[in-house]
Amino acid sequence: MNAKDLDKLLAGCIDSKDESKRTPVYAVVAIMGSTEQGAVDPLVEILDLRDKYQHKGLSFVVHCDGAWGGYFASMLPDVSSGPDEAKDSVPIQALQPYTKEQLEAYPRADSITIDPHKSGYVPYPAGGLCYRDGRMRYLITWTSPVVFHAGDDVGSIGVYGVEGSKPGAAPVAAFLSHEVIGLDTKGYGTLLGEATFTSTMLYSHWATMTDDTSELVVVPFNMLPDEKKPNPDPKAIEEQKEFVRKRIINKPNSELVSDKEAMKLVTQLGSDLMINAFACNFRVNGKLNEDV
């Protein structure tokens, strides 16, 4: 999401002096880790816009779709394993600075959805909808003769959602996993930190495995830091790829975590939240294939 574009849209909702022509806004949804690219929306800017427009008479709910990114909050505060811990294991990689800032803003949101069956490693179909103010659950309270149980009329989890017929084994599995693994940096934070490091290593291979002469062409959707600059320098990009090849890919974990310059770059590689996506093509007689 582009926060500047959102600002313009919100301004357009209250521009008219005639209140009858103004557009009410119920909610703005921030995707906290898209399932395709692991991209995180600028939650901090969205929340700041909510505060800004509240002073102008326009208020709305900020909902976080944390189906994928919810559990990554267990990596806060950031912890990274040192050289000694990484000799015979996978290092723990900290969140990217941008991602960390957005996840730290979770408490300011009004509601968050989270899917334990994704980054919580719990069997399908566990899912959760968390409210900062519990009274919000009454907005979607309903009962049905098909799924009605004794006690639903006075309140139960089955009536506080858009669907109330899920099996009970899934939430029990989520509860047990939370109790055993732990929702902190020593539990899920470590698990996801190691997975993030491994994902970054895979990204490093994909980002550097081909060049302008290769028959196979692999292009990650997430660009290298030097490719993101306003006026990217092709020479600098190639130098950064070579740095990744020599200092990151072909080094044992114990050596890599001791290389501060390399680890600084590692935290800037890949997607916001672990998921890597890339496109492949090929060259025929030196020319890029254009036949789709």
Side-chain angles (χ1 to χ4, degrees):
M1 182 185 298
N2 187 307
K4 292 182 179 179
D5 288 343
L6 175 61
D7 192 5
K8 293 177 182 178
L9 287 172
L10 293 172
C13 293
I14 58 173
D15 272 350
S16 177
K17 293 182 179 180
D18 184 350
E19 290 189 9
S20 65
K21 294 182 179 179
R22 294 180 181 178
T23 304
V25 177
Y26 177 73
V28 172
V29 179
I31 307 300
M32 307 305 291
S34 62
T35 52
E36 293 83 8
Q37 291 94 26
V40 173
D41 281 336
L43 178 59
V44 173
E45 293 183 79
I46 293 171
L47 290 164
D48 289 345
L49 284 173
R50 192 261 304 274
D51 295 343
K52 170 184 173 181
Y53 280 94
Q54 276 183 336
H55 292 294
K56 297 183 177 184
L58 176 65
S59 186
F60 49 84
V61 169
V62 174
H63 173 72
C64 291
D65 182 348
W68 173 252
Y71 275 87
F72 285 86
S74 63
M75 294 173 67
L76 303 171
D78 288 340
V79 288
S80 299
S81 61
D84 294 337
E85 300 173 54
K87 286 181 179 178
D88 301 310
S89 63
V90 178
I92 300 169
Q93 182 176 324
L95 293 166
Q96 295 186 13
Y98 166 82
T99 307
K100 179 175 180 289
E101 181 185 10
Q102 309 316 313
L103 266 57
E104 286 177 334
Y106 273 151
R108 294 175 57 196
D110 296 295
S111 59
I112 303 172
T113 46
I114 185 169
D115 282 354
H117 68 262
K118 292 180 180 175
S119 54
Y121 300 99
V122 175
Y124 189 83
L129 176 55
C130 312
Y131 301 108
R132 187 167 56 136
D133 185 336
R135 292 174 297 177
M136 286 185 68
R137 71 187 189 276
Y138 294 116
L139 296 173
I140 52 173
T141 299
W142 70 293
T143 59
S144 167
V146 179
V147 293
F148 186 82
H149 300 89
D152 281 355
D153 54 334
V154 294
S156 74
I157 193 171
V159 300
Y160 297 126
V162 294
E163 207 281 321
S165 61
K166 296 295 184 185
V172 171
F175 174 78
L176 183 62
S177 296
H178 295 172
E179 290 294 302
V180 174
I181 299 173
L183 293 169
D184 53 26
T185 55
K186 294 182 179 179
Y188 272 103
T190 295
L191 186 65
L192 292 169
E194 291 185 358
T196 299
F197 176 84
T198 303
S199 176
T200 301
M201 291 301 102
L202 288 170
Y203 168 85
S204 298
H205 279 280
W206 294 328
T208 61
M209 69 189 308
T210 64
D211 55 34
D212 291 339
T213 63
S214 305
E215 290 188 359
L216 173 67
V217 180
V218 178
V219 180
F221 287 7
N222 294 286
M223 298 183 289
L224 290 165
D226 277 347
E227 292 177 317
K228 296 178 183 178
K229 293 180 178 179
N231 298 300
D233 179 5
K235 182 179 179 181
I237 293 171
E238 289 306 314
E239 289 176 351
Q240 189 164 71
K241 286 184 178 180
E242 192 60 24
F243 180 94
V244 172
R245 294 186 186 103
K246 291 183 177 179
R247 301 272 291 274
I248 296 178
I249 293 177
N250 295 315
K251 293 290 183 180
N253 290 343
S254 56
E255 290 185 28
L256 176 57
V257 296
S258 299
D259 187 337
K260 293 184 179 180
E261 186 181 5
M263 285 303 293
K264 182 179 179 181
L265 180 59
V266 165
T267 60
Q268 301 173 45
L269 300 177
S271 71
D272 296 333
L273 285 178
M274 202 164 75
I275 297 177
N276 291 315
F278 57 92
C280 295
N281 201 349
F282 54 89
R283 291 186 176 89
V284 179
N285 297 323
K287 293 183 178 181
L288 194 65
N289 167 58
E290 296 181 354
D291 183 2
V292 295

